[in-house]
Amino acid sequence: MSRSSASTSIDDGARRTPDTAPDAALGTMAEKGAFADGAAGAAPDNDGAAAPAGRARGRDPRALADLLPYLRPYRGRALGALAALTVASGAVLAIGQAIRRVIDYGFDESQRGLLDYYFAGMFGVILLLAAATFARYYLVTWLGERVVADLRRAVYGHVLKLSPPFFEVTRPGEVLSRLTTDTEIIQTVVGSSASVALRNLLLLVGGAVLMVVTSPMAALVMVAIVPFVVLPLVLFGRRVRGLSRQSQDRIADISAYAGESFHAIQEVQANAHEGIDRERFAGRVEGAFATGMKRVQARAWLTALVMLLAFGAVNAMMWLGSRAVLDGDVSAGQLTAFVFYAVVVSAALAALSEVWGDLQRAAGAVERLMELLRTEPEIAAPADPVDLPGAVADTGEPMALGVTFQDVTFRYPTRPELPALEEIDLDIRPGERVALVGPSGAGKSTLFQLLLRFRDPDAGRVLLHGVDIAKADPQALRARLGMVAQDPAIFAASARENIRYGRPDATDAEVEQAAEAAAAADFIRDLPQGYETFLGERGVRLSGGQRQRIAIARAILRNPSVLLLDEATSALDSESERKVQAAMQGLMQGRTTLIIAHRLATVLRCDRIVVLDRGRIVAVGPHHELLQRGGLYARLAELQFAEGAAALRSGTGG
């Protein structure tokens, strides 16, 4: 059959664009990595990738407050860390007073006996500082690890609940970047930078107070200088914050592009596209590098200016203090203590300027994660879900459940002017086998998506055994359905675990029985470790037909009430198809089955055939009746089965 005729055959094929990928606009948005609420109006960045318009370039570090719910369960440890941090900061400040006493009294011959006590006291303070530092480091590091672990679990669990349309406009690489890169940034802040910031804040306040106590006049001079130290922090802070967010976006873009290439590595190599992909990836890497260097340069200027001004102020204080000692206005011990506190305050300011950049980066990371967590699934369980009919009858076998589409109309959001389904009325009786046929884009896969409740119809209702599925829990609904896709999902696990995916509590014997029924047992036994063989990501170690038989075994093991087959035998050779068709007959027995099909063997075994065209049902009936009526079905059948056209026209075998 020619390529042109194939496009009009009963087979949807892999080019089922209106059913599986609503239109090119979605593909474009997915390529940009945009969220549905931010794709419109996205402005290109320096590397050409668009950033969602709904995403701010830099946010206030107060966004870190969103982490409080994740810290609250561990407030005991957080308070312990705060106490240890306070003790450590107090110990550092106490060292200044110890130095003052040593200098003022330690060199006085009349105070010689106290010298040992002063140094012993200082050593005690140092021990206290070491112990408090250990406790602080351990507790805050534990908090960082724990909070990030909880955050990753929360984000992953939430993303699993999002409806499939979310992933049509959001690249998985973007989500993975948030789960890895962004959480690592947060871990650094919670497990390190936050405690460093608090410690230096305490040192800054405590040191400033003790500077005033030690020498009020010199402290006033220092206060006059402080605005010049703080000003660069304010000026560069916003720029660093914006560049940090851009840097994280560029890293996400790198991750998404690489992931897409790796997942389609055979397609990349088959089209000799490696060189082009290398160049495009290199462009994204260079874009990320350029953005990162802008951020580093801004932070370097910020740190250098703060260090210059802070320690320049200390130098000025030492000069003024030295003159005051010579004039007899202050003692050498007071000057030394003041300089010590000035160094502490300056170092605290410098450290805070460094940490400020980390906090801004973490604020951007928190925003990105919260953006995911606040994304509401389009399909959610109602507050009071209606119970669906039992999945298993008293005999231990699944109940055959009826399926009804009542005046269903559906439009993809990106093509509101073109209905994917229009006024569909279809009643499928319990245990009936119904084939869905029609040209590409007729709406067959859309019917499956509505029944699985991946989407909701714009009008009308979908009923499962008389119950509106919109009023039921989606998980309860899907527990009663079994799907075998044309391009089945194979996970990076063993053959046994891939089959068991549909029913995690199944025994090894049940898994092997399902494999036998799906004509998969022979090739599985021939694998290096048999059922324990690792199949590779997306089943790269298997052929297309072998992947499909694994998926069929999974459905057989799941034993659903309603079976959905989307060209389940399309990738099988004739011998394997014969075996699988026999197995499928047993699987379909006593349960409702909907089949997207084009092969004669599949269509002939169905009770009814539903012909769709442009989202409408144009004919319903058994094979021989539809052939006698002529029309679309007869044309498609003739194109698909040209060699048997004479027999098809006569209706033999029907």
Side-chain angles (χ1 to χ4, degrees):
M1 186 170 64
S2 69
R3 185 177 295 274
S4 60
S5 64
S7 65
T8 58
S9 71
I10 298 176
D11 181 21
D12 268 8
R15 299 176 295 278
R16 193 179 293 133
T17 47
D19 288 355
T20 56
D23 64 4
L26 273 181
T28 302
M29 288 194 291
E31 183 178 345
K32 302 299 185 185
F35 283 97
D37 62 352
D45 291 319
N46 54 9
D47 65 350
R55 187 182 295 172
R57 277 292 160 207
R59 299 286 180 86
D60 198 304
R62 283 177 291 184
L64 293 171
D66 287 326
L67 294 177
L68 289 178
Y70 298 92
L71 282 166
R72 196 168 291 123
Y74 314 111
R75 52 183 171 270
R77 287 179 181 260
L79 290 173
L82 183 60
L85 185 149
T86 304
V87 170
S89 301
V92 170
L93 296 173
I95 289 175
Q97 291 301 308
I99 292 173
R100 175 185 174 182
R101 289 187 172 274
V102 167
I103 292 176
D104 279 347
Y105 304 113
F107 300 104
D108 186 346
E109 186 65 32
S110 63
Q111 301 291 330
R112 185 182 183 89
L114 297 176
L115 185 62
D116 295 340
Y117 291 106
Y118 289 142
F119 278 101
M122 186 182 294
F123 183 71
V125 171
I126 292 171
L127 283 176
L128 181 63
L129 173 61
T133 300
F134 169 83
R136 175 194 63 81
Y137 178 81
Y138 175 81
L139 290 172
V140 297
T141 303
W142 187 93
L143 283 170
E145 296 282 353
R146 184 68 265 168
V147 166
V148 165
D150 292 349
L151 191 57
R152 282 175 175 155
R153 288 172 54 191
V155 172
Y156 179 77
H158 182 75
V159 171
L160 285 182
K161 294 189 295 184
L162 297 179
S163 308
F166 170 83
F167 296 96
E168 293 175 359
V169 293
T170 307
R171 291 177 298 182
E174 170 84 5
V175 178
L176 292 175
S177 174
R178 299 186 184 204
L179 272 174
T180 54
T181 306
D182 288 353
T183 52
E184 285 173 6
I185 293 171
I186 293 170
Q187 182 176 349
T188 298
V189 168
V190 177
S192 174
S193 299
S195 70
V196 170
L198 287 173
R199 182 186 65 195
N200 283 285
L201 187 60
L202 290 175
L203 290 174
L204 175 64
V205 174
V209 170
L210 288 171
M211 283 170 62
V212 173
V213 171
T214 304
S215 178
M217 185 58 67
L220 286 175
V221 176
M222 284 293 290
V223 169
I225 296 174
V226 164
F228 296 99
V229 178
V230 174
L231 186 60
L233 185 68
V234 176
L235 291 178
F236 281 89
R238 292 179 182 176
R239 178 164 175 77
V240 171
R241 190 188 316 155
L243 289 171
S244 296
R245 185 63 186 257
Q246 289 182 35
S247 181
Q248 289 162 238
D249 286 343
R250 299 289 69 77
I251 292 171
D253 191 48
I254 289 172
S255 175
Y257 191 88
E260 187 176 47
S261 300
F262 294 155
H263 287 152
I265 190 63
Q266 294 184 15
E267 193 71 17
V268 170
Q269 294 177 355
N271 287 279
H273 210 262
E274 298 95 328
I276 296 173
D277 281 332
R278 275 196 298 267
E279 290 179 8
R280 291 179 179 175
F281 183 78
R284 284 166 167 77
V285 170
E286 290 303 316
F289 174 76
T291 305
M293 288 311 299
K294 288 179 182 178
R295 175 180 58 80
V296 169
Q297 188 178 44
R299 287 195 64 181
W301 274 111
L302 175 63
T303 303
L305 285 171
V306 170
M307 295 289 283
L308 173 64
L309 294 172
F311 285 100
V314 171
N315 183 66
M317 283 299 97
M318 290 182 67
W319 175 65
L320 293 173
S322 299
R323 296 181 65 87
V325 171
L326 293 176
D327 293 339
D329 295 332
V330 296
S331 69
Q334 284 178 300
L335 174 60
T336 305
F338 186 87
V339 170
F340 175 84
Y341 292 128
V343 170
V344 167
V345 168
S346 300
L349 276 173
L352 285 172
S353 71
E354 278 288 317
V355 171
W356 185 250
D358 290 338
L359 294 178
Q360 289 169 327
R361 288 190 73 201
V366 170
E367 285 174 346
R368 286 156 57 89
L369 288 169
M370 292 303 124
E371 192 174 36
L372 277 179
L373 287 172
R374 288 169 184 152
T375 301
E376 293 294 334
E378 293 184 20
I379 305 299
D384 188 18
V386 175
D387 290 335
L388 288 167
V392 179
D394 295 336
T395 60
E397 293 297 321
M399 292 176 58
L401 304 178
V403 176
T404 305
F405 295 88
Q406 287 185 351
D407 199 22
V408 169
T409 296
F410 175 77
R411 292 174 173 83
Y412 286 103
T414 54
R415 294 198 322 275
E417 75 287 350
L418 183 64
L421 294 172
E422 189 169 9
E423 299 177 354
I424 296 293
D425 278 301
L426 179 62
D427 189 20
I428 301 168
R429 297 181 297 275
E432 189 177 14
R433 303 177 189 180
V434 174
L436 305 175
V437 301
S440 177
K444 304 180 293 297
S445 291
T446 303
L447 282 174
F448 276 19
Q449 291 191 38
L450 294 181
L451 180 55
L452 286 160
R453 210 179 167 217
F454 291 156
R455 304 173 185 273
D456 280 335
D458 298 326
R461 300 190 303 165
V462 181
L463 308 178
L464 182 66
H465 218 65
V467 177
D468 187 346
I469 64 173
K471 298 180 180 179
D473 187 330
Q475 286 195 333
L477 165 69
R478 293 162 192 162
R480 289 155 173 77
L481 307 176
M483 172 82 169
V484 180
Q486 183 179 20
D487 184 18
I490 302 298
F491 300 94
S494 67
R496 188 183 304 279
E497 288 308 309
N498 264 283
I499 296 173
R500 187 181 272 135
Y501 192 84
R503 210 181 97 208
D505 60 344
T507 65
D508 288 350
E510 289 172 326
V511 168
E512 291 168 16
Q513 287 173 6
E516 291 281 357
D522 289 343
F523 83 78
I524 291 177
R525 281 193 290 263
D526 290 339
L527 294 173
Q529 287 84 41
Y531 282 88
E532 308 307 323
T533 302
F534 178 74
L535 301 184
E537 191 162 348
R538 298 192 173 190
V540 294
R541 302 181 68 179
L542 301 179
S543 69
Q546 289 171 336
R547 287 197 295 270
Q548 212 152 26
R549 278 180 277 173
I550 290 285
I552 292 169
R554 186 187 297 161
I556 291 172
L557 183 65
R558 186 172 173 79
N559 206 16
S561 295
V562 178
L563 187 61
L564 307 178
L565 304 177
D566 187 354
E567 280 305 330
T569 61
S570 63
L572 301 181
D573 56 71
S574 299
E575 178 64 19
S576 295
E577 181 182 12
R578 184 186 63 78
K579 293 178 180 178
V580 171
Q581 286 285 2
M584 297 299 286
Q585 292 306 307
L587 178 61
M588 290 187 285
Q589 192 68 35
R591 77 187 77 233
T592 309
T593 307
L594 280 75
I595 308 169
I596 295 176
H598 77 285
R599 295 199 180 190
L600 181 61
T602 304
V603 172
L604 291 179
R605 290 187 176 95
C606 291
D607 300 314
R608 280 190 299 163
I609 300 167
V610 177
V611 185
L612 293 109
D613 187 28
R614 297 181 182 180
R616 287 181 172 272
I617 295 177
V618 296
V620 179
H623 169 71
H624 62 280
E625 285 186 12
L626 292 177
L627 284 178
Q628 291 172 357
R629 291 185 209 170
L632 177 61
Y633 180 80
R635 292 200 307 274
L636 295 176
E638 184 175 359
L639 287 170
Q640 180 67 29
F641 311 115
E643 294 179 359
L648 290 170
R649 289 193 191 95
S650 66
T652 59

